[in-house]
Amino acid sequence: MAKKNFTRLRQQISGASFGKAQLHPDPFVQFEIWFDQAVNCGILEPNAMTLATSAPDGRVSARIVLLKGFDERGFTFFTNYESEKAKQLAANPNASLVFMWLELQRQVRIEGRTVKVAETESDNYFASRPRASQIGAWTSPQSRAIPNRQYLEDKYLDIEKFYSGREIPRPDFWGGYRLVPEKIEFWQGREGRLHDRLLYLLSGHGWTIKRLAP
């Protein structure tokens, strides 16, 4: 394997100043401001986020999932409740989310505990999904080993035929989680790697804000 020269990959960062004067006191409002800017500047999948979970033995796993909603209660995503991530969340509900918007030289890190959303919320979201995605949820035994691609394609066709002309219900093994944050950090890239990092911490008196060294 050829040796890579990673120094050639270094990029100059010169983002705008970001301090408490530009920060909204409510972290959910601040997230909405940054999220809307990411959407408006045309970033592909601005709601893509890394979800990190841990197994009972301490091993950490991370993968990309899609944010499907947020408000003052937390950040919502949907998945198979029998997947590896779901098993890890059942054992340890603490998790972390990371958004990276390179075009804006911004990152948001969120830490907290996850809870399952209400069944009605999962039902409503499932009903809004494209029919192909609904069939896919029934088709995939997520995170389990399967013999080949043909297994999925055959099962997909069987389920498509079974529900032909009918509404597709949400599987009881599929639904949403909400990460209820205890920490939310906003990172803005700055020149010379002296980045701005502003951290919201939840306490009994609400949210406090601290500046972190880059």
Side-chain angles (χ1 to χ4, degrees):
M1 184 180 295
K3 185 177 180 180
K4 307 296 183 185
N5 184 353
F6 285 92
T7 60
R8 298 175 61 183
L9 300 178
R10 181 174 288 120
Q11 300 292 319
Q12 295 299 318
I13 297 178
S14 57
S17 173
F18 180 62
K20 287 188 177 181
Q22 293 86 33
L23 203 65
H24 195 282
D26 185 326
F28 298 105
V29 174
Q30 183 61 50
F31 181 84
E32 183 176 28
I33 292 169
W34 273 24
F35 185 79
D36 287 347
Q37 290 173 351
V39 171
N40 293 335
C41 78
I43 292 175
L44 181 65
E45 301 279 22
N47 58 328
M49 57 188 183
T50 300
L51 167 66
T53 57
S54 63
D57 63 3
R59 290 180 298 113
V60 177
S61 298
R63 77 290 289 160
I64 303 297
V65 298
L66 296 178
L67 177 70
K68 291 300 181 180
F70 67 91
D71 55 27
E72 67 282 353
R73 296 172 299 169
F75 300 81
T76 302
F77 61 94
F78 293 84
T79 190
N80 187 309
Y81 284 150
E82 297 176 352
S83 64
E84 180 185 20
K85 71 175 83 65
K87 292 175 182 177
Q88 292 185 350
L89 290 174
N92 178 9
N94 295 297
S96 178
L97 301 173
V98 180
F99 294 85
M100 184 64 178
W101 299 312
L102 288 173
E103 293 85 347
L104 295 172
Q105 300 173 352
R106 288 175 177 173
Q107 175 180 262
V108 180
R109 299 173 60 232
I110 305 167
E111 297 179 14
R113 293 177 63 84
T114 54
V115 295
K116 287 184 177 180
V117 304
E119 290 190 3
T120 53
E121 189 171 346
S122 291
D123 288 340
N124 291 338
Y125 176 69
F126 188 83
S128 74
R129 302 183 88 204
R131 190 173 180 84
S133 296
Q134 294 177 337
I135 296 172
W138 279 100
T139 299
S140 176
Q142 194 175 107
S143 301
R144 299 180 190 175
I146 57 175
N148 47 48
R149 172 76 187 187
Q150 194 63 46
Y151 168 88
L152 284 179
E153 294 179 353
D154 290 345
K155 189 176 178 183
Y156 183 96
L157 292 175
D158 288 344
I159 294 171
E160 185 178 41
K161 181 178 180 181
F162 181 80
Y163 285 110
S164 178
R166 296 189 290 156
E167 287 189 5
I168 302 175
R170 176 181 64 88
D172 58 7
F173 56 79
W174 190 99
Y177 287 95
R178 179 175 293 109
L179 188 144
V180 181
E182 299 165 358
K183 297 180 180 180
I184 305 179
E185 179 192 321
F186 293 84
W187 179 99
Q188 174 67 66
R190 297 291 302 278
E191 188 174 357
R193 308 291 172 178
L194 295 180
H195 313 305
D196 288 323
R197 295 177 61 189
L198 281 298
L199 174 67
Y200 293 81
L201 287 171
L202 184 62
S203 67
H205 304 289
W207 294 95
T208 59
I209 301 173
K210 299 179 181 293
R211 174 178 283 273
L212 304 181

